[in-house]
Amino acid sequence: MLNVVDGENNDYDPFANRSVPHPTSDLDTLIHLLKGSLGSGILAMPLAFKNAGLAFGLIATCLIGLICTYCVHILVKCSHKLCKRTQVPSLGFAEVAETAFLAGPESLHKYSRLAKFMINAFLVIDLLGCCCVYIVFVSTNLREFLGPYLDGPNFDLRLYMLALLPLLIPCNLIRNLKYLAPFSMVANILMGAGISITFYYILTDIPPIDSVAPIAEPQHWPMFFGTVIFALEGIGVVLPLENNMKTPNHFIGCPGVLNFGMFIVVLLYSATGFFGYLKYGDLTQGSITINLPQDTLAGMVKLMIAVAIFFTYSLQFHVPMEIIWKNAKHNFSTKNEIFGEYGIRIVLVLMTVGIAIAIPNLGPFISLVGAVCLSNLGLIFPAIIETVTYWDHPGMGKFSWRLWKNIFLFTFGIIGFVTGTYVSFKEILEMYQ
C-alpha cells in the first residue's frame, strides 16, 4: 500500500535515505549522460536539416533541445516530490508515472497501473526500435565499406542484415551487463574516432551558405521533428543516472550535470546537422557516412561506425529485455527459466532483424521511432505526470500557469506524434509502390 504524506511539510529526505553501493560522481554521470544521448542519431542530423532547411533547422534543433531538456527537468523534479510524498528513496520512470497517479486525485488512482504499463511499453518499443535502426545503420555502413570488394551498392542490403544474425544472437545471449562493459568502451572509442574523421571531411571545402535552402517546405518538417527527437531524446537513461549519483542534488539546477550535458549534446548535433547538410546539400543521405568519398580513410570510418553501432546494439537490447523478462519470468518454472530467457532473447533479435529487413529505408524509419515513441516519452508523459503530481497540491501557480504550460507541451507532443508518424508511414509505404 502506497504511503502518501504531505509532500510539502514532511521532513523526509530521499537523497539521505538512498543506499547506493557504488555511487557515481558528477563527472561519471556526465559521461554516462553523453553516452546515452550521443548515439547513431548524430549521423542522421544532416538529413534532419535537409528536411528543415539550414537556418530553420539550426533554430528548431536548439528549441527542441531546450524543450526536451526542460521536460527532463520536469520528470526529475516530479520524481523528487513524489519520493518525499511517498517516503521512498528513488523511483524509476515507470514508477514515477504509477506513483503520480496513486498520489494524485482519487479518480485517477485506478489508472496507475495503466500509466506504468504505458511507460514500460513505449520504452520497450523505443529501445527495440532503436535496435532495428542500428541494424540498418550497421548494414548500410558495411555495404559502403565492402562494396568495392563485392557488388558495390547493388548488393542487397537485406543480405547484410541476415549476415549479422550469427553474430547478433550470441552477443545478445550475454545476460550480465558487466560483461558488456568492454564492448561499450570499444564502441565509444570507435564512435568518437569515426565522428571526428567525419567532421574532417565535412569541414573540408565547405560550399557557401546560400548553396542550400534556408528553410524547407513545411510538408518535410514532420520528418525533421521525428529525426531530431530520435537523436536528442535520452530520457530513458535520466532517472537511473540520477538515482545512482553521489550528489543527486547536482543533477538539475544551474549549471547542473543535466544542463551542461545537454548543452554539449545539442551543440554537437546542431554542428553535425548544419555543416553536414551545408556540405552535401540535396545529396545528403540517411547516415552522413554514406556521403563520404570512396577512399581508404572514409572506408575505415564506415567500418568503425558499423562496429561501434553493432556493439551498442547489445547495450540497447539489455534494457527492454530486462523489462520484458521481469514481466514474463513467472510463466516459466525455476528449472526452465534460463531456457525461457534465452528463447525470448533469440526471438527478439530475430524480430528486430525482420523489421529492419522489412523497412530498410533509414530516414523514415528513424523519424517513425522518434515520432511514435520519443514524442510520448520525452514530451507528452512528462507533461501529464507533472499535471497529475501537482493537481491536488499547491503549485499550479498563478493563473494555473503550470497547467497551461503542460497543455502546450502535450499539444506540441501530440502534433509531432501524429504528423511525424503519418509522414514516416507515408514514405515507408511509398517504398513498396
Side-chain angles (χ1 to χ4, degrees), residues 126 225-227 229-231 365-376:
D126 165 41
F225 173 83
T227 305
I229 287 288
F230 174 88
F365 200 169
I366 290 174
S367 181
L368 180 63
V369 174
V372 172
C373 300
L374 295 171
S375 59
N376 281 284

Side-chain angles (χ1 to χ4, degrees), residues 156-171:
D156 196 337
L157 187 65
R158 295 173 175 87
L159 295 178
Y160 284 93
M161 297 180 189
L162 285 173
L164 291 176
L165 269 176
L167 297 173
L168 279 172
I169 290 175
C171 283

Side-chain angles (χ1 to χ4, degrees), residues 151-233:
D151 191 23
N154 297 319
F155 201 78
D156 196 337
L157 187 65
R158 295 173 175 87
L159 295 178
Y160 284 93
M161 297 180 189
L162 285 173
L164 291 176
L165 269 176
L167 297 173
L168 279 172
I169 290 175
C171 283
N172 289 283
L173 294 181
I174 299 174
R175 302 161 66 206
N176 195 325
L177 196 58
K178 178 178 70 174
Y179 299 121
L180 295 175
F183 297 106
S184 177
M185 184 182 299
V186 172
N188 287 340
I189 293 170
L190 291 176
M191 182 66 81
I195 291 174
S196 299
I197 300 171
T198 301
F199 262 100
Y200 162 76
Y201 282 102
I202 290 174
L203 297 176
T204 302
D205 300 324
I206 304 177
I209 287 182
D210 58 5
S211 64
V212 294
I215 182 168
E217 296 178 359
Q219 62 262 34
H220 298 297
W221 293 356
M223 287 287 290
F224 163 79
F225 173 83
T227 305
V228 173
I229 287 288
F230 174 88
L232 285 175
E233 195 57 78

Side-chain angles (χ1 to χ4, degrees), residues 392-412:
D392 275 356
H393 296 264
M396 274 297 176
K398 193 174 183 180
F399 304 118
S400 298
W401 69 268
R402 185 171 272 112
L403 175 63
W404 292 109
K405 176 260 300 179
N406 286 335
I407 289 174
F408 164 76
L409 291 175
F410 180 86
T411 305
F412 181 67

Side-chain angles (χ1 to χ4, degrees), residues 84-375:
K84 284 181 63 99
R85 198 175 291 172
T86 57
Q87 298 193 345
V88 295
S90 63
L91 293 167
F93 194 170
E95 292 168 335
V96 168
E98 181 183 35
T99 306
F101 277 75
L102 285 173
E106 189 174 346
S107 59
L108 296 180
H109 291 187
K110 58 187 175 183
Y111 299 112
S112 60
R113 293 184 66 182
L114 175 63
K116 182 179 182 179
F117 170 80
M118 291 288 288
I119 297 289
N120 279 330
F122 274 106
L123 280 172
V124 168
I125 294 170
D126 165 41
L127 295 170
L128 289 179
C130 288
C131 287
C132 298
V133 172
Y134 288 175
I135 291 168
V136 180
F137 260 110
V138 172
S139 303
T140 303
N141 282 282
L142 279 178
R143 184 173 69 173
E144 287 290 311
F145 175 72
L146 295 173
Y149 309 103
L150 296 174
D151 191 23
N154 297 319
F155 201 78
D156 196 337
L157 187 65
R158 295 173 175 87
L159 295 178
Y160 284 93
M161 297 180 189
L162 285 173
L164 291 176
L165 269 176
L167 297 173
L168 279 172
I169 290 175
C171 283
N172 289 283
L173 294 181
I174 299 174
R175 302 161 66 206
N176 195 325
L177 196 58
K178 178 178 70 174
Y179 299 121
L180 295 175
F183 297 106
S184 177
M185 184 182 299
V186 172
N188 287 340
I189 293 170
L190 291 176
M191 182 66 81
I195 291 174
S196 299
I197 300 171
T198 301
F199 262 100
Y200 162 76
Y201 282 102
I202 290 174
L203 297 176
T204 302
D205 300 324
I206 304 177
I209 287 182
D210 58 5
S211 64
V212 294
I215 182 168
E217 296 178 359
Q219 62 262 34
H220 298 297
W221 293 356
M223 287 287 290
F224 163 79
F225 173 83
T227 305
V228 173
I229 287 288
F230 174 88
L232 285 175
E233 195 57 78
I235 198 164
V237 304
V238 168
L239 286 177
L241 290 179
E242 190 268 348
N243 288 339
N244 282 281
M245 284 185 71
K246 185 184 300 181
T247 51
N249 53 311
H250 291 178
F251 189 73
I252 56 176
C254 188
V257 173
L258 175 64
N259 288 342
F260 188 67
M262 287 305 295
F263 173 78
I264 295 174
V265 169
V266 173
L267 183 65
L268 284 174
Y269 276 73
S270 299
T272 305
F274 184 90
F275 290 110
Y277 174 51
L278 180 59
K279 173 73 174 181
Y280 297 110
D282 291 337
L283 299 176
T284 301
Q285 299 293 316
S287 171
I288 191 62
T289 53
I290 303 174
N291 287 108
L292 300 183
Q294 294 291 341
D295 59 31
T296 303
L297 182 60
M300 291 306 298
V301 170
K302 293 164 187 175
L303 180 61
M304 286 190 290
I305 294 292
V307 174
I309 296 174
F310 178 85
F311 286 152
T312 306
Y313 177 104
S314 297
L315 296 166
Q316 195 85 345
F317 182 87
H318 184 80
V319 177
M321 182 59 209
E322 270 198 337
I323 295 172
I324 292 171
W325 181 240
K326 186 178 179 180
N327 291 279
K329 64 187 302 182
H330 66 273
N331 294 313
F332 299 91
S333 65
T334 306
K335 182 180 178 181
N336 294 320
E337 264 192 14
I338 185 70
F339 299 107
E341 183 176 353
Y342 282 151
I344 292 175
R345 285 177 177 271
I346 293 171
V347 168
L348 289 177
V349 171
L350 291 172
M351 184 184 73
T352 57
V353 172
I355 293 172
I357 288 173
I359 315 174
N361 193 342
L362 199 53
F365 200 169
I366 290 174
S367 181
L368 180 63
V369 174
V372 172
C373 300
L374 295 171
S375 59

